[in-house]
Amino acid sequence: TKFESKSARVKGLAFHPVRPWICASLHNGVIQLWDYRVGTVIDRFEEHDGPVRGVDFHLHEPLIVTGGDDYKIKVWDYKLRRCLFTLLGHLDYIRTVQFHPNATQFPWILSASDDQTLRLWDFQKRSCLSVLTGHNHYVMCASFHPSEDLIVSASLDQTVRVWDTAGLRKKQLGGPGLDEGYPGMMDVNGNRGGTSAAAATALNVQAELFGTNDVVVKYVLEGHDRGVNWAAFHPTLPLLASAADDRQVKLWRMSETKAWEVDTLRGHANNVSCCLFHPKQELVVSNSEDRSIRVWDVSKRVGVQTFRREGDRFWILAAHRSQNLLAAGHDSGMIVFKLERERPASAHGPGDKLYYVRGRELFCHDYSRATGGSSGVDVPIASLRRVGQQAQTDGIGSGPRFLSYNMHNPTEGNILVCSEVDGGCYELITFSLTNAGGSVTDGKRGSCLGPGVFLGRNRFAVLDRHKREIVVKNLNNETTKRVAAPVPNVDCLYDGGASGRIILRSDDRAVLFEVQSRRVIGELTAPKIKNVVWSPDGSKVALLCKYGVVIANRQLEQLCSISDTVRIKSGAWDVSPSGGTNSNLFVYTTLHHVKYCLPTGDTGTIRTLDNPIYATRVVKDSLFCLDREARSRVISIDTTEARFKLALANKKYGQVMHMVKHSRLCGRAIVAYLQSKGFPEVALHFVRDPQTRFRLALACGNIEAAMESAFSLEQQQGADGKARDVWGELGSEALRQGNHQVVEMSYQRKKDFDRLSFLYMLTGDNEKLRKMLKISNMRNDIMGRYHNALLLGDAAERVAVLEASGNLPLAYISAKLHGLDDVAERIKVAIETQEGSVEGLLEKVPVGTKKGGRLLQPPTPIVRASNWPTHEIKKTTLEDLSAADAGDEYEEEAPASAPADTGAADGAAAWDDDFGMDDGGAGIGGDDDFDLGDDDMGWGDDLDGLGDIGGDDVASDQVDDMAAFNEISGDVGFQMPPAGRPAAACWVANSSHAAHHMAAGGASSAMQLLHRQIAASDFSKLKGPMLGCYLGSTVSLPGVPGSGSMIVPLMRNDAAGHPGNDSLPRTSLTMKSLVTGVRMGYKYFQTGKFTEAKNAFTEVLSQIPLTVSENRNQANEMKEMVSICREYITAIRIKEAITAAGSDPVRSTELSAYFTHCNLQPVHLLLALRSAMGTAFKHKNFIVAASFARRLLELPDMRSERNADLRMKATKVLQRSEQMARNEHTLNYKENAAFSIDCKDLVPVYTGDESVKCSYSGSVYKGTSMKGQVDVTDGFSTVGVETIGLVTGK
């Protein structure tokens, strides 16, 4: 079954000829358009009044035709999502509608109705072409022949009629002469026929009453005893099939002159509602109101297979035109299904050989003998015999499903052919490798479940389908060993990649098992595994799941896992001898795509497919595969993107740069990938957009490229647009690298005066700081003047600014403090003139103390140079390789608009010239460009546009900026080391574990993680472990005397050196402390100290979420500990409830029974069973007492001498209870039914009962009353919230 829907009764079905769509018409009048591949409703049409019984797709146009019980035929456009028009004419329910198979040449619709007629319509002219009369009861169906001028109809008058439409076809194609006088027809010029309106009306009446002679009856088939519900043509042969209420399906053969009954297929137990011929196989499929679908062999005329559905009657069948798909409608929906799988059975052989099955033949395909465009040569090996109950027919599902080749035997060929006939069977075929078609030995057969696996040169293993044991056999088919599966529910075996190893599929797990030593080597989660593909060198394995791929190493440790939205069909590893992709590139196919997956987890799409294929081998850019007809094919693929990502992951930077320069790699996906992997310098090679290049240049610290892009953006957007933000970002990056020259230019372009002044103060450039003071004076910027004067230490200027701004008291205080007595007196006069006073002003300012005001002088720079000293490091490996490559045509080009050099001696001089101003007013480098005389106090073109400063003679030429850029480009030939990150920030970024976030001090993010992962809501119980994580991740070391202590982070992955940005913290909680807590709980429980035991287990439950596991085994142990703590806490609560209910015999017996169903250690279970047996026997509940006695006697510990007395007592209780054999009380306890225990009310929750669960502890609660409440067991998680569960590693 590929898809199943739930809806009202489905009465009509139609497959879309190309897209994965199916249209279903329902009994409630709704028409649903489904995508059966993803299982969603695409659209709904609801204009019919009453049931809709017929539906069909147009072969080429986006049209759907429907017919319903409202006597209407509607034609819909599913792209426009509306009804185009309605055809009226039928007088009763319409049963079926169909477009002509050649609808482009014949725009006809055929309809069958309960008014006992068939009608042919021209849907382009929207008129009725012909009315077919002759049936004398309801016409249940009608359909066109796929290729001939025939129509078949079935009626409740117990007949099947075949109609000849050749006359109508000739009339439609014959031109004006033939259709003259026929109402509604047009000639080739678009003119109506020559008849008058009255004659046309008369002909219409005649057609309505007696039909037309354009379509005549060719055969009338009589043979059914009751009404016929359906009739269908064979797609190629002159055969008919009919289904009737006499519960029979009849086959009919036609000739040119007559038709006769061939055979009757009996087996249905009720009315047969529909039948059809399978489009690709010699089969008839029928469905019935007996709730079954039956498949019949046309040649043998016997039933092959039966599918039953309880409670739903089947009404309609439909077959896809080109694919092996069928659909059936029933009372509560529909199903889309295949009769058998289409995947050809295949297996890789030694070298370049592939073994596969086509039909009943086993072939060897030799890739090494490929010639021209072929993929190789097919060599037949053996013919396979039919097996099982269907040995006499080509039954559905009888073909081979799996092939396994013995790679351990170099002397001869051994192949296990496994099929699913009769529950599963295998056949061992042995042949010579030198003469493949010569001596073949077969006949060694047996039963199995799933595929067989070769363990060695002369051994193979199969899975016993009854006991689920691993059965090891030799090549003589003799059983040599039986091994019990290490895990329950094993349902399939796969190759283990090495001699003696197999992979077991159990539920949603894959287990790597070594048969000889009987040990489990590895285990991982992989839902719905379909196949296993080992890499050529055996180092990796790809587990193909239904909707994903899991890649693991030879020990079955997961390397990566990917998921897809559509089903995975097949996969193959690259076997290219060169290029580094061998065993590192996995190519897999879905229904319509070829995709790739790398062990790093990177994925991508290679190409699309028209039809599904099954990959067998990948060599460079060729994909060898089998199609659904088991024909070997080779298709071209482009794996450049995959090879590029693989080379980048393997740090093969030479190969990366070669591919960058010589391959067609482009697109936003590649750029985003390179950024995410930390290689923005490589992404620069792909990008020409200035905005994107600017971002990438900043990401990799390439100031030159960033400046180039910034200039381009400024030219595109203008100086006042978004370019200012660009210069701000460039300035921040340059400041981080210490390149204050670029910072200076960026601040100028952005007109950021405050930062520019502060930069000059830091670099000690007092001359430019004075110029900033003059500029702020010209711009009337009071605060700018004051800040610049403050940074310069110019007290007189500060006083002048305060005086000019009207702050006379502050100006007076400042003048007095800095010894400007003359100015102070003048200000004092001004204050008194305004009726003010200076008395008491200086008392507010302490003088002569540490808090007193002092003159602030500009700091003296440590180094006076063009740039600050920086630690020069080498460029990245990729940049070095790019620079060393001789191919200069791929290097970045200088901007086309870059101006010529100004001729300055060096970069430093050029940058000094930008703001150089001597007393004479002449610039150092180029007088015309830098006229900085005292007349206008201008700064030349560098400050042009900084604001309205009132001068008209400021230059506007920007040549010197670009010249300075060209000059400085030689000074930035290195990359600064990236800024370090604090350890706490690394911990948070590297891990999703709450303990690591708490160790970094992120209590909020840790609580959010715990809330999302295990639904934690009450953190009071977790306060202690969380504080322990925080305090235990650092140590405090004393520093230099007089300074504070130094906090040093403790890291758990620094054994081989400092981990850098990949660091993770040490945590105070370890697996050892959890084991100690559990053991203490066991000890207290054993000695009857139940309160202490409960506290111990509760403490372990609160510590587990903040404990980090070191490997997968520890993670599994921690999850098992959660279950242990839950079971013991529940058991202790039950024990407390038993004590409280001592006077109630019913409740105490029930609780004692529940106590024995807690998952306790055997020694503790013995105590629980002994107590429960005594309680039940004491209260005369002998049935349950006997049950407890039996369980007690079955325990292994009961065989020891120390339990001899207990064994004797249990035996006596069992004998006595079997004699009495009654329960005194009615108990809420079913000993043989599986149940969980409600952790609040301590009552059983049986399978099927409504319940909610805690996502962390797994506690179960009956009903929904506890949903949203805090879990009783752990005390901090919310019940009924579905989460991802416990996270144990980073």
Side-chain angles (χ1 to χ4, degrees), residues 974-1268:
F974 55 85
Q975 180 179 350
M976 284 295 295
R981 297 173 66 191
C986 296
W987 298 346
V988 171
N990 294 338
S991 176
S992 59
H993 199 287
H996 292 159
H997 284 246
M998 193 64 215
S1004 176
S1005 62
M1007 288 190 285
Q1008 286 180 2
L1009 285 173
L1010 290 172
H1011 178 68
R1012 292 179 188 142
Q1013 293 166 0
I1014 60 172
S1017 57
D1018 186 356
F1019 292 95
S1020 59
K1021 297 287 182 68
L1022 299 172
K1023 181 179 179 181
M1026 293 177 75
L1027 289 177
C1029 290
Y1030 175 66
L1031 298 175
S1033 62
T1034 56
V1035 294
S1036 179
L1037 298 178
V1040 179
S1043 66
S1045 298
M1046 293 182 293
I1047 304 299
V1048 179
L1050 298 177
M1051 304 178 192
R1052 68 183 179 94
N1053 56 342
D1054 59 353
H1058 196 285
N1061 289 341
D1062 297 326
S1063 66
L1064 291 171
R1066 290 184 182 273
T1067 52
S1068 58
L1069 296 173
T1070 62
M1071 190 69 188
K1072 186 176 179 181
S1073 60
L1074 298 180
V1075 172
T1076 303
V1078 172
R1079 287 177 178 171
M1080 289 300 297
Y1082 285 161
K1083 182 179 178 182
Y1084 289 136
F1085 192 90
Q1086 180 75 24
T1087 55
K1089 299 178 180 179
F1090 296 115
T1091 303
E1092 291 83 351
K1094 183 178 179 182
N1095 293 337
F1097 288 119
T1098 304
E1099 185 177 2
V1100 172
L1101 268 184
S1102 65
Q1103 291 175 350
I1104 288 176
L1106 294 159
T1107 305
V1108 183
S1109 63
E1110 296 180 0
N1111 50 51
R1112 188 170 298 278
N1113 290 334
Q1114 283 195 5
N1116 293 334
E1117 289 177 16
M1118 288 169 60
K1119 293 177 180 179
E1120 188 176 349
M1121 282 185 184
V1122 173
S1123 299
I1124 291 172
C1125 294
R1126 179 194 68 238
E1127 294 296 323
Y1128 272 87
I1129 291 173
T1130 304
I1132 293 170
R1133 294 184 60 245
I1134 291 174
K1135 189 66 177 173
E1136 294 171 349
I1138 291 173
T1139 305
S1143 59
D1144 186 349
V1146 176
R1147 184 60 175 160
S1148 59
T1149 305
E1150 289 176 348
L1151 290 170
S1152 299
Y1154 306 155
F1155 192 26
T1156 66
H1157 285 266
C1158 294
N1159 191 6
L1160 308 178
Q1161 295 292 318
V1163 64
H1164 302 151
L1165 182 59
L1166 186 146
L1167 299 175
L1169 286 170
R1170 183 178 68 179
S1171 173
M1173 180 183 68
T1175 303
F1177 192 79
K1178 172 184 173 183
H1179 296 305
K1180 299 182 181 180
N1181 294 309
F1182 297 110
I1183 296 176
V1184 292
S1187 171
F1188 298 144
R1190 290 191 200 97
R1191 290 173 59 192
L1192 188 59
L1193 291 171
E1194 290 172 358
L1195 291 178
D1197 289 349
M1198 291 296 289
R1199 299 190 184 96
S1200 62
E1201 287 299 324
R1202 70 172 183 271
N1203 291 323
D1205 293 341
L1206 180 57
R1207 186 168 64 246
M1208 187 180 300
K1209 291 179 182 178
T1211 304
K1212 291 180 179 179
V1213 169
L1214 180 59
Q1215 292 174 352
R1216 178 64 175 166
S1217 299
E1218 288 176 343
Q1219 291 174 0
M1220 303 305 294
R1222 288 290 187 275
N1223 277 343
E1224 182 73 17
H1225 307 97
T1226 302
L1227 304 176
N1228 182 16
Y1229 172 64
K1230 302 175 185 177
E1231 61 172 305
N1232 295 323
F1235 64 84
S1236 303
I1237 299 174
D1238 187 313
C1239 292
K1240 180 186 178 185
D1241 299 328
L1242 303 179
V1243 295
V1245 182
Y1246 294 102
T1247 303
D1249 290 350
E1250 185 180 14
S1251 62
V1252 290
K1253 194 175 183 180
C1254 174
S1255 59
Y1256 170 53
S1257 68
S1259 301
V1260 178
Y1261 299 91
K1262 194 170 185 178
T1264 58
S1265 60
M1266 280 295 291
K1267 188 172 184 178

Side-chain angles (χ1 to χ4, degrees), residues 84-87 121-128:
L84 298 180
F85 55 87
T86 302
L87 301 174
W121 310 80
D122 187 321
F123 63 83
Q124 289 182 351
K125 300 173 182 177
R126 306 182 186 181
S127 61
C128 180

Side-chain angles (χ1 to χ4, degrees), residues 683-722:
L684 277 173
H685 288 273
F686 302 100
V687 180
R688 291 293 172 263
D689 176 56
Q691 185 71 39
T692 309
R693 282 185 63 83
F694 179 76
R695 301 292 177 199
L696 291 172
L698 287 188
C700 62
N702 191 335
I703 295 297
E704 292 180 6
M707 288 172 62
E708 174 190 348
S709 301
F711 280 120
S712 300
L713 287 171
E714 188 177 52
Q715 292 172 1
Q716 292 177 5
Q717 301 172 353
D720 295 330
K722 296 182 179 179

Side-chain angles (χ1 to χ4, degrees), residues 112 179 187 214 512 561 576 704 935 1043 1225:
D179 65 2
D187 62 18
D214 299 327
L512 182 59
S561 175
S576 304
E704 292 180 6
D935 301 47
S1043 66
H1225 307 97

